Amino acid sequence: MVIRKAFKFRLKPNGQALKFFSQSAGCCRFVWNKALAIQKERIDNHEFCLKYTEMAGKLTSWKKQPETTFLNESPSQSLQQTLKDLDRALKDAFSKSSPKQFPVFKKKGLHNSFRIPQGFKFEDDKIFLPKIGWVRFFKSREITGTPKNVTVSKRGGHWFFSVQTEMEVSDPVHPSTSTIGIDVGVKRFATLSDGSFIEPLSSFKKLESKLTKEQRRLSRKVKFSNNWKKQKHKVSKVHIKIADARNDFLHKTSTTICKNHAVVMLEDLKISNMVRSAKGTLESPGQNVKAKSGLNKSILDQGWFEFRRQIEYKQTWSGGQVVVVPPNYTSQTCPVCGNVSRENRLSQSNFRCVECGFQLNADHNAACNILAVGQTVLARGETGAVRPLARESHRL
């Protein structure tokens, strides 16, 4: 089995390296926007998009033009990788099986990054990058596997690099034999079919008031002034703190579950449909818009999709299995008599069957139903929607 991992470290660049990083990220952004503009013009004229090889030829001519000679100061491979990313994004946008969003133009200051596919090397706590040389970094752990490429990116006020590695290991065997069903929610982040549950972290809710204050101060500053830039950095720090706390919580929770259970049953939730706005239109305005908005905010604060993604690849690495079941009526079905009724769940936390009188916590009941449906799916020889590991890399 091939495992791909990404190890991320914070860099300790000097002034020259900082200038080089910003310039390289800017050149990649310029190439992306210029190439995307050409492709969009061809699409508007009902012409086929240019292939990567044709765009790479245009890149060579851009470097020779007087107004774009600055592209020569950035690593050529990084610019080529940008064109490859755009080519892949266009193919995904026009895919018939699973089309994705059409690529958009990149703004300055957002997602500053560039990728180096070769020419880099490591020595203790230093990394060698083409055209810049050796740069120190905070080495928090050893890098395992064969390095394939390095991506340098900016987050907040610091620069990081992420190295993707690849290793081939023998098929693992999970140490446990237990099977568990998991129901995710807002009041309880995750309720397991054995009766245990995990309290939600709700990192956004905890820092929402602080974020509101910082954003309100930002709105009073003159846009693009020095004070505006300082305040924008403070807002960014709050966002990063929220995201890091959520990510840490999800990793710890998913790791504990994957270590203790060989088979995990999950609902195939459509998050985008669940958090759809209830505003409606002018002709038919929605109802309970404020309550639905608050519910949507709470759902997005939990990170259910990321939780499922982490469980999927961690189970694959440990030799476990993930079974994804349809979510229909899992919270309205009685596990004893099989009665399905909306009246069985009259409140958020209580389940009481109107036929046999069986009572249980509503989330625990849903987890038991997920386990039962998952075992049926497993008996039929189905495994659920687990993405292939060899095509993905997961940052540690």
Side-chain angles (χ1 to χ4, degrees):
M1 182 176 65
V2 176
I3 291 180
R4 291 177 181 170
K5 295 183 180 181
F7 300 86
K8 190 173 183 180
F9 304 93
R10 178 180 157 188
L11 289 162
K12 298 191 282 186
N14 55 23
Q16 182 182 0
L18 285 173
K19 182 180 178 181
F20 174 79
F21 292 159
S22 299
Q23 190 173 34
S24 298
C27 289
C28 290
R29 182 177 63 253
F30 174 84
V31 169
W32 172 282
N33 292 339
K34 191 174 181 64
L36 179 58
I38 293 175
Q39 300 287 32
K40 289 190 71 173
E41 184 179 358
R42 293 182 63 87
I43 294 173
D44 294 338
N45 294 332
H46 305 286
E47 297 177 344
F48 288 106
C49 292
L50 295 177
K51 297 180 180 179
Y52 162 72
T53 52
E54 296 173 304
M55 293 303 303
K58 287 185 175 294
L59 175 61
T60 304
S61 64
W62 295 342
K63 290 183 177 181
K64 297 178 181 179
Q65 296 174 4
E67 63 273 14
T68 54
T69 53
F70 59 85
L71 294 176
N72 292 289
E73 300 177 9
S74 178
S76 298
Q77 294 178 347
S78 299
L79 304 180
Q80 293 167 0
Q81 291 294 311
T82 300
L83 293 178
K84 288 183 179 180
D85 292 342
L86 178 60
D87 184 66
R88 188 182 303 111
L90 289 170
K91 289 179 180 178
D92 291 341
F94 291 107
S95 173
K96 294 182 179 179
S97 57
S98 56
K100 296 183 179 179
Q101 184 181 1
F102 191 84
V104 298
F105 293 105
K106 294 186 177 181
K107 295 182 179 180
K108 184 178 180 180
L110 296 177
H111 309 293
N112 288 331
S113 66
F114 59 95
R115 185 163 66 252
I116 302 174
Q118 58 186 9
F120 58 89
K121 55 185 177 181
F122 300 95
E123 184 180 299
D124 296 330
D125 61 344
K126 295 184 293 184
I127 179 174
F128 180 85
L129 300 173
K131 289 198 173 184
I132 186 61
W134 292 100
V135 182
R136 291 189 175 276
F137 65 93
F138 294 93
K139 191 175 183 180
S140 55
R141 61 179 302 175
E142 293 295 330
I143 301 174
T144 58
T146 305
K148 292 296 181 179
N149 59 69
V150 166
T151 301
V152 180
S153 60
K154 187 177 184 181
R155 187 167 186 255
H158 304 287
W159 285 91
F160 299 80
F161 81 89
S162 177
V163 53
Q164 185 189 57
T165 65
E166 186 177 287
M167 67 181 74
E168 189 171 348
V169 298
S170 57
D171 293 339
V173 178
H174 203 284
S176 176
T177 58
S178 65
T179 303
I180 202 74
I182 302 178
D183 176 67
V184 293
V186 175
K187 293 293 183 182
R188 292 180 174 183
F189 172 75
T191 304
L192 281 63
S193 56
D194 60 5
S196 60
F197 62 91
I198 301 167
E199 292 288 347
L201 178 67
S202 301
S203 59
F204 177 81
K205 185 178 181 180
K206 291 180 180 179
L207 293 173
E208 185 177 10
S209 59
K210 182 177 180 180
L211 179 62
T212 302
K213 292 179 182 177
E214 299 295 347
Q215 288 177 330
R216 190 174 291 128
R217 290 170 184 166
L218 179 65
S219 66
R220 299 192 184 107
K221 308 292 183 184
V222 178
K223 202 168 185 180
F224 302 117
S225 65
N226 288 333
N227 286 335
W228 180 85
K229 292 177 181 178
K230 292 177 184 178
Q231 186 59 35
K232 188 178 180 181
H233 179 64
K234 292 182 180 180
V235 173
S236 177
K237 287 179 65 176
V238 179
H239 278 295
I240 290 174
K241 189 173 182 179
I242 292 171
D244 287 347
R246 182 188 297 117
N247 196 43
D248 178 73
F249 170 76
L250 293 177
H251 269 296
K252 290 178 179 178
T253 304
S254 60
T255 298
T256 302
I257 291 174
C258 292
K259 281 184 177 180
N260 297 329
H261 306 286
V263 183
V264 178
M265 316 287 189
L266 296 170
E267 288 182 304
D268 188 15
L269 298 175
K270 307 298 181 184
I271 310 298
S272 58
N273 295 340
M274 296 176 65
V275 297
R276 191 170 293 167
S277 175
K279 287 184 178 180
T281 60
L282 291 176
E283 293 76 15
S284 57
Q287 297 180 351
N288 300 324
V289 177
K290 187 175 182 180
K292 183 63 168 64
S293 176
L295 177 61
N296 292 348
K297 191 185 298 183
S298 298
I299 291 175
L300 294 173
D301 192 15
Q302 305 309 314
W304 293 341
F305 181 83
E306 176 65 13
F307 178 63
R308 170 180 164 177
R309 187 192 71 87
Q310 291 181 9
I311 286 183
E312 285 179 355
Y313 81 76
K314 289 178 183 179
Q315 281 291 86
T316 306
W317 286 355
S318 62
Q321 194 173 6
V322 176
V323 179
V324 181
V325 305
N328 310 61
Y329 308 111
T330 54
S331 62
Q332 301 175 8
T333 303
C334 177
V336 177
C337 66
N339 175 55
V340 181
S341 175
R342 183 176 296 180
E343 285 73 23
N344 287 346
R345 187 173 181 177
L346 297 179
S347 67
Q348 189 278 331
S349 59
N350 296 320
F351 176 91
R352 185 179 185 279
C353 180
V354 295
E355 287 287 333
C356 65
F358 175 76
Q359 296 186 38
L360 194 65
N361 177 272
D363 295 330
H364 186 194
N365 176 75
C368 293
N369 288 329
I370 292 170
L371 175 64
V373 176
Q375 289 173 336
T376 304
V377 171
L378 208 57
R380 294 174 182 171
E382 303 173 9
T383 58
V386 180
R387 291 182 287 273
L389 181 68
R391 297 181 182 178
E392 295 190 2
S393 44
H394 307 280
R395 184 172 297 153
L396 299 181

